[in-house]
Amino acid sequence: MEYRYEDKQRKSIFSKILNKNALPIILFIIVFLNFFTLIRLNYNIKTSKAAGTDILVPAFGTGFIILFFFYIKKIKISKPMIIQFALLILVTAVWCIVQIINIKNGNYYLFDILNIPCKFVNILFLFILLINMDLDKKYIYNFMKCLILMGIVACVCNFILYYQDILSILKIIKIDTKIYIPKSFFAQKNQFAYFLFACIISCVILLVRNKKMIFKVLYCACILLFLFNMIFTQSRTGLLITALFLGLYLLFNDRMKISKKIVLIVTLGILGVIGIFALYKYNPELLMNKLIRADSVKTLTGRTKIWNVALDVANENIETVLFGAGRFKGVEAIQKANMNVTQFHNTYIEFFVSGGIMEVLYFLSIYIFVLVKLLKSKKIDKKYKIIYICMYVSYFIYMFSESLGRFSIGGSDCLGIVFFVTIPLLHANVIPEFPKLKENNKGENKEV
C-alpha cells in the first residue's frame, strides 16, 4: 500500500511538471539557466566578466531539452503556425546559403554558422510552437513573480557588493578608491538595467491585476527598489526608456480620470525638476559626470562609431544589404577598429549586419504578429493591452540604443525573446477566469 501511495504521489508530481500550466515556470528556469553563467562569474566581484558563446551553449541546450519533453503531445497545429514555420524554413535556408557562399570564398566565421541553428530553435520553440498554446490565466503571472523575485535578489546582491560605493555616492561616507558602476551579478550595467526594465513592467502588470492594497503597496515598493538600482547603474538609456514606459502608461491607462492625470503629471514634473536641482546641489558629479555625461552625448558614448563600422560591413555589396554579412564578421570589423565591444548597441543594425534587410523585416514581423494577436485577443482585458502597447513602444525605441532582441544565445537574448515574445503570446491565448454567480435560491454556486 505504501509503495502504491508513493508511486501515485510521484506520478502526481510529474503530471504537474508536464502540465501545460507549468510552462511559465519552465520559461523562467530557462531564463535563469541562461543568466547562470554570468551569475557564477560576477556575483562576488566588481569587475565585469562576460560569458563567451562557447560556455553559454550548455545552458542553452539544457533549456531546450526541457522544452522538448514539455511539448510532447501538447502541440495544436494551425494555419498561422504552418505559415510561420514555412517563413522560418525560408529564412533559415537563406542564412545557410549565405554561409555556404562564405565558406567557398574562405571568408566564414564558425559562430555565424552555429548561430543559424540557435536562431532556428529559439524561434521554433519560443514562438511558433506557442502560437496556439492556451494556459489558465493565473499561471501566466507566475513567470513575472519569479522574475521580480530574481530582480529583488539582484538588487540585494548589488547593495552587498557595492554598499561602500553607493554610500559614497550618497556622500554618507568617503572612500579613496575608484567609484564602480553597480551591475549586480550581470556582465555590465546596461544588461542589469535591461533586466530591471523587464522587472518593472512585470510589477506594473501585477499591480493592475491585484485588487488588495497590500499587494499594490508591495509592487510599488518593488518598482521604487528597481528604479533606485537603475539610477546607480548610471544607464541613461535604461532610465529614459523606463521613464518613457511609465509615462506612456500614466497617460493612456483608463483607470484614472483625465483631470487626475493632468494633476499627477504636473506634480511629477515639478517634483522631477526639484529632484534634479537637489541632486545637482547635493552631488553634481553623480548628475553631470555619471548620469548626463554631456561630453559623450554627441557620439552616444561611442555608439555612432560602432554603427558606422557595422554599416560599412553590411553595405559592402548588394548581397550583404539584402541577406547580411554575418554578425561575427561585423564584430571582428569593430574590434579591428580598436573598439573592444562584442555588440552593436543597436538591435536593428545587429539584424541588418547579421541577415540584411531580410532579417530586419523577418524579426520585426514576429514582434508585429504578437502585438496584433494581443490587440485582437478577446481573452485579455483592455488594461493589459494598454500596458503591452506602452511596453512595445518603449522596447522598439530601446532597441535603437542596445542589442536586446537578438534571437540567439545569451542571458539578455533569452530574456528578450521570452519576455517580449513568448509571454505576451501566451497572454493573448489565455483561458479566461470565469466569475462565479451569486448563490441561487437553493444556496448553490454555479459557474458560468
Side-chain angles (χ1 to χ4, degrees), residues 236-286:
R236 293 175 298 185
T237 307
L239 280 167
L240 288 172
I241 296 302
T242 303
L244 175 64
F245 165 73
L246 293 173
L248 286 173
Y249 177 68
L250 181 63
L251 279 172
F252 295 109
N253 81 84
D254 57 355
R255 298 164 63 85
M256 190 183 298
K257 292 181 180 179
I258 296 177
S259 57
K260 289 184 178 180
K261 286 182 184 179
I262 293 172
V263 172
L264 184 57
I265 290 170
V266 172
T267 303
L268 289 174
I270 294 170
L271 289 175
V273 171
I274 293 172
I276 290 170
F277 276 108
L279 181 59
Y280 179 76
K281 187 175 181 181
Y282 185 73
N283 193 339
E285 183 187 2
L286 174 61

Side-chain angles (χ1 to χ4, degrees), residues 27-43:
L27 291 173
F28 173 75
I29 291 170
I30 290 171
V31 170
F32 180 80
L33 285 173
N34 278 271
F35 274 116
F36 180 74
T37 304
L38 289 175
I39 295 171
R40 184 169 56 83
L41 291 172
N42 292 279
Y43 77 95

Side-chain angles (χ1 to χ4, degrees), residues 203-220:
C203 284
V204 172
I205 291 174
L206 294 176
L207 184 66
V208 169
R209 177 178 180 258
N210 282 277
K211 295 181 180 179
K212 292 183 179 180
M213 184 55 66
I214 186 170
F215 289 112
K216 289 184 178 292
V217 172
L218 177 64
Y219 290 123
C220 284

Side-chain angles (χ1 to χ4, degrees), residues 97-343:
I97 291 169
V98 169
Q99 290 308 318
I100 289 169
I101 294 171
N102 287 341
I103 291 170
K104 287 185 176 180
N105 294 335
N107 188 25
Y108 70 95
Y109 294 80
L110 179 61
F111 282 141
D112 276 328
I113 297 171
L114 295 176
N115 206 23
I116 294 172
C118 291
K119 289 190 285 190
F120 180 89
V121 170
N122 261 327
I123 296 166
L124 177 65
F125 277 64
L126 294 174
F127 171 55
I128 293 174
L129 295 180
L130 293 170
I131 285 175
N132 295 305
M133 179 70 71
D134 56 345
L135 308 177
D136 290 349
K137 188 175 181 180
K138 60 184 179 181
Y139 292 99
I140 297 291
Y141 308 109
N142 288 343
F143 174 87
M144 298 177 187
K145 292 174 184 176
C146 290
L147 198 68
I148 291 169
L149 184 59
M150 184 175 167
I152 292 170
V153 173
C155 291
V156 170
C157 289
N158 194 41
F159 289 135
I160 293 172
L161 189 60
Y162 293 97
Y163 76 94
Q164 284 188 323
D165 306 283
I166 292 171
L167 292 176
S168 176
I169 289 172
L170 295 173
K171 291 192 173 183
I172 296 173
I173 64 171
K174 286 186 178 181
I175 56 175
D176 297 328
T177 56
K178 178 185 174 183
I179 300 295
Y180 289 86
I181 300 174
K183 61 178 180 57
S184 192
F185 44 64
F186 299 86
Q188 36 94 3
K189 64 186 180 68
N190 289 327
Q191 194 175 54
F192 186 27
Y194 175 51
F195 181 82
L196 293 177
F197 174 62
C199 290
I200 288 170
I201 295 170
S202 299
C203 284
V204 172
I205 291 174
L206 294 176
L207 184 66
V208 169
R209 177 178 180 258
N210 282 277
K211 295 181 180 179
K212 292 183 179 180
M213 184 55 66
I214 186 170
F215 289 112
K216 289 184 178 292
V217 172
L218 177 64
Y219 290 123
C220 284
C222 288
I223 291 173
L224 292 174
L225 174 68
F226 298 146
L227 285 172
F228 182 79
N229 275 266
M230 194 177 282
I231 289 170
F232 283 105
T233 65
Q234 300 163 28
S235 174
R236 293 175 298 185
T237 307
L239 280 167
L240 288 172
I241 296 302
T242 303
L244 175 64
F245 165 73
L246 293 173
L248 286 173
Y249 177 68
L250 181 63
L251 279 172
F252 295 109
N253 81 84
D254 57 355
R255 298 164 63 85
M256 190 183 298
K257 292 181 180 179
I258 296 177
S259 57
K260 289 184 178 180
K261 286 182 184 179
I262 293 172
V263 172
L264 184 57
I265 290 170
V266 172
T267 303
L268 289 174
I270 294 170
L271 289 175
V273 171
I274 293 172
I276 290 170
F277 276 108
L279 181 59
Y280 179 76
K281 187 175 181 181
Y282 185 73
N283 193 339
E285 183 187 2
L286 174 61
L287 180 65
M288 302 305 295
N289 298 340
K290 302 293 184 181
L291 291 175
I292 296 178
R293 283 172 278 166
D295 56 331
S296 65
V297 169
K298 188 176 180 180
T299 62
L300 299 177
T301 321
R303 282 175 172 80
T304 54
K305 296 178 182 178
I306 297 171
W307 298 344
N308 288 334
V309 174
L311 289 172
D312 285 341
V313 172
N315 289 317
E316 185 176 342
N317 53 55
I318 188 64
E319 288 81 10
T320 56
V321 170
L322 293 175
F323 307 115
R327 177 179 179 272
F328 289 91
K329 183 178 180 180
V331 170
E332 185 186 63
I334 292 171
Q335 292 178 339
K336 282 182 178 179
N338 297 319
M339 289 178 280
N340 188 26
V341 294
T342 58
Q343 296 181 6

